[in-house]
Amino acid sequence: MPQSPLTHSVLLSITLLACALPASAQIDEPNINEKKTQITKIVQQISAQRIDSYVRKLVSFHTRHTMSETQSDTVGIGAARRWIKAELERCSAGQLDVQFDSYVEAGGRRISKPTEIVNVVATLKGKTDPGRYYVVSGHYDSRATDVMDATSFAPGANDDASGTAAVMEMACVMAQHRFDASIVFMAVAAEEQGLYGATHWAKQAREKNLNIAGMFTNDIIGSSRSEHGEIDNKSVRLFAEGIPAVKELPDATRNLIATGGESDSISRQLARHVKETGERYVPGFTVNIIHRRDRYLRGGDHIPFLEQGYAALRFTEPNEDFHHQHQNVRIENGVQLGDLPEFVDTDYTANVARVNAAALASLALAPAAPAQVQMNTSQLENDTSMRWNANTEADLAGYRIVWRDTTSSVWQGSVMVGNVLSYTVKGKSKDNYFFGVQAVDKDGNISVASYPMPEKK
Ligand SMILES: [Zn+2]
């Protein structure tokens, strides 16, 4: 049964104070239940009107096909990326470091000639932990029915001007705020040709050993209306992989499976955090975690990050209308086909952007997830003892232990345990619950949970 974190934390801090400190000393228990003013402000600042104007501007380039025109100032992918870069520089008044990240792809299944693949990458450097990164992306390339057709009108309003516009709006709003960790806002190219842009960036990140503590891609977040006309503008799907589909299982994954932790992968832990934060700051909006990597027959820019071993998620609208994806703009049997801006509901897209921004802000304000969390398995017992390495953040307040039933997808109970490096949850058996350990700072910002691995003997 869920237990009140407040009651527990109050009792615990009294116990800790009693045994560790003289009576006059005061520790302010971080307030984890209060909404953070900064995050509320960011969520309020996100504007559906600006997202709408970005979508329409992106559509105006006629096509953003990866092999389209690059010299023109008004048509093709070259003009589109130069506009995105200039707009991010303008709106952030120098707070974002905006760069082109580019390479030449010699050729491939969906690249018929050597093509420069260019991502627009805007980095907001963290204050106290700049080496920890959170990445958020949308892809700015588009396509028509034939994936090799680089000249037909390919508005790509939903797929994926919606995601690109959401990321641009988040970048412009969040650039006015400061965070502990760094945030990277990316408009990615060549998604439609085979995830080339994201693959290039994720590979470089792994080679440089960048600490990417979480990545979200926003792809097809523009429509609240399904093919059959149902409207759902109150939810978004969040695709979260469990066990990575790799040929050789690393030890960490083997341990995860051996302890029943299929749903405690780093991507699922991240998804829980996004759901909790997103729903808290965007009331009435539901984040539906889908326990799989992506939809059947489809992929997205989170996949190259997953393949490099990072936690990565995909946001997509609840009901897709396939009349308005990957289709030449035309009327057939009286039905308008094509990915046109009139089928995009930017009020809806703005809410998805708010969920993203709330989650990103909360992650980038919070400490890192605790490292080396271990479950004591030295004896048969009905208590649960864990230990972990100390976090290094200067504003660290302590740790919080969370748990849930083995059939539940989200955390159900929690206890604040103070600034300690081990803790025993009495009377709750590790055999019957999943546990996690989170780090909490003095302002009450909470990290993603870490899954305890069985202690090495
Ligand atoms: Zn897409």
Side-chain angles (χ1 to χ4, degrees):
M1 195 172 77
Q3 305 206 3
S4 151
L6 251 191
T7 323
H8 267 283
S9 55
V10 168
L11 285 175
L12 268 156
S13 47
I14 292 165
T15 325
L16 289 170
L17 278 170
C19 55
L21 292 161
S24 59
Q26 275 288 324
I27 287 183
D28 287 326
E29 181 80 13
N31 188 343
I32 58 168
N33 297 308
E34 194 175 75
K35 281 193 194 175
K36 309 286 169 269
T37 323
Q38 190 182 355
I39 303 180
T40 304
K41 214 175 191 179
I42 289 168
V43 166
Q44 284 167 353
Q45 283 172 333
I46 294 210
S47 148
Q49 286 82 9
R50 275 193 301 263
I51 289 175
D52 196 66
S53 72
Y54 292 150
V55 168
R56 285 173 196 279
K57 180 69 184 179
L58 286 161
V59 169
S60 79
F61 295 106
H62 182 72
T63 176
R64 304 181 309 277
H65 190 278
T66 295
M67 289 181 286
S68 65
E69 167 73 49
T70 59
Q71 300 306 310
S72 162
D73 282 337
T74 52
V75 168
I77 193 164
R81 65 186 167 235
R82 288 190 294 277
W83 170 75
I84 295 169
K85 182 166 184 276
E87 180 58 25
L88 292 174
E89 283 163 347
R90 187 199 61 76
C91 78
S92 68
Q95 298 300 318
L96 294 169
D97 174 27
V98 192
Q99 302 287 341
F100 283 142
D101 161 59
S102 93
Y103 80 105
V104 175
E105 177 59 46
R109 198 163 61 87
R110 290 174 164 193
I111 301 274
S112 58
K113 58 178 186 196
T115 302
E116 194 183 13
I117 311 282
V118 186
N119 302 316
V120 188
V121 183
T123 307
L124 183 61
K125 202 173 169 201
K127 261 186 329 191
T128 54
D129 197 0
R132 174 161 49 102
Y133 292 89
Y134 297 93
V135 179
V136 63
S137 81
H139 70 86
Y140 73 96
D141 63 310
S142 68
R143 62 169 284 185
T145 303
D146 173 2
V147 71
M148 305 305 279
D149 174 357
T151 56
S152 291
F153 182 36
N158 191 359
D159 186 10
D160 184 31
S162 67
T164 306
V167 169
M168 289 176 72
E169 176 64 2
M170 282 182 244
C172 296
V173 166
M174 294 178 81
Q176 301 163 34
H177 297 263
R178 293 292 154 264
F179 302 93
D180 295 9
S182 296
I183 306 177
V184 177
F185 304 90
M186 286 177 68
V188 173
E191 194 274 350
E192 302 290 7
Q193 308 312 114
L195 316 177
Y196 285 99
T199 301
H200 178 250
W201 201 88
K203 260 191 189 158
Q204 288 182 90
R206 180 49 78 200
E207 277 159 19
K208 290 186 245 172
N209 217 3
L210 285 194
N211 172 14
I212 297 176
M215 185 273 180
F216 324 146
T217 192
N218 286 273
D219 197 351
I220 311 179
I221 55 162
S223 169
S224 50
R225 194 186 162 91
S226 79
E227 223 157 28
H228 307 297
E230 308 119 42
I231 305 271
D232 177 357
N233 56 9
K234 296 270 182 282
S235 78
V236 65
R237 287 182 291 172
L238 182 62
F239 288 88
E241 182 180 72
I243 301 297
V246 290
K247 281 195 183 123
E248 306 233 340
L249 286 185
D251 280 351
T253 311
R254 207 179 291 277
N255 264 328
L256 209 57
I257 299 171
T259 54
E262 301 90 290
S263 201
D264 286 71
S265 65
I266 51 174
S267 295
R268 294 268 167 90
Q269 302 290 19
L270 182 63
R272 282 182 191 107
H273 188 99
V274 172
K275 179 177 172 67
E276 217 172 280
T277 326
E279 292 180 354
R280 185 174 197 192
Y281 285 93
V282 190
F285 200 82
T286 305
V287 177
N288 281 320
I289 300 176
I290 308 279
H291 279 190
R292 51 168 51 114
R293 173 185 267 205
D294 208 324
R295 299 103 78 231
Y296 284 99
L297 295 173
R298 307 297 285 271
D301 290 326
H302 58 313
I303 292 176
F305 286 82
L306 290 169
E307 285 170 347
Q308 297 297 334
Y310 294 121
L313 306 169
R314 175 193 182 119
F315 281 101
T316 297
E317 66 200 29
N319 303 296
E320 291 167 82
D321 185 340
F322 302 104
H323 286 139
H324 306 302
Q325 289 181 23
H326 303 186
Q327 295 276 359
N328 280 358
V329 177
R330 65 193 191 280
I331 292 174
E332 223 168 66
N333 305 323
V335 178
Q336 176 73 61
L337 302 177
D339 194 351
L340 293 162
E342 54 260 44
F343 301 111
V344 172
D345 171 358
T346 41
D347 287 329
Y348 172 76
T349 307
N351 274 333
V352 180
R354 290 180 184 114
V355 166
N356 272 261
L360 277 174
S362 129
L363 289 162
L365 288 168
Q372 294 292 321
V373 181
Q374 299 198 17
M375 181 70 85
N376 184 330
T377 53
S378 58
Q379 55 186 349
L380 297 172
E381 58 178 353
N382 287 315
D383 296 335
T384 299
S385 298
M386 287 164 282
R387 61 185 174 89
W388 51 88
N389 286 1
N391 274 51
T392 54
E393 290 85 358
D395 62 347
L396 187 84
Y399 300 88
R400 182 183 187 227
I401 289 180
V402 285
W403 59 82
R404 63 181 206 276
D405 291 332
T406 59
T407 51
S408 170
S409 165
V410 292
W411 300 119
Q412 296 171 308
S414 67
V415 57
M416 291 287 293
V417 301
N419 200 350
V420 295
L421 295 180
S422 64
Y423 191 80
T424 299
V425 184
K426 293 269 182 204
K428 271 202 178 304
S429 168
K430 56 189 170 294
D431 299 330
N432 303 343
Y433 296 90
F434 287 125
F435 286 89
V437 182
Q438 302 171 319
V440 184
D441 74 10
K442 289 178 177 150
D443 295 327
N445 297 300
I446 306 173
S447 79
V448 168
S450 296
Y451 182 72
M453 287 297 183
E455 202 161 58
K456 287 177 200 82
K457 281 180 231 110

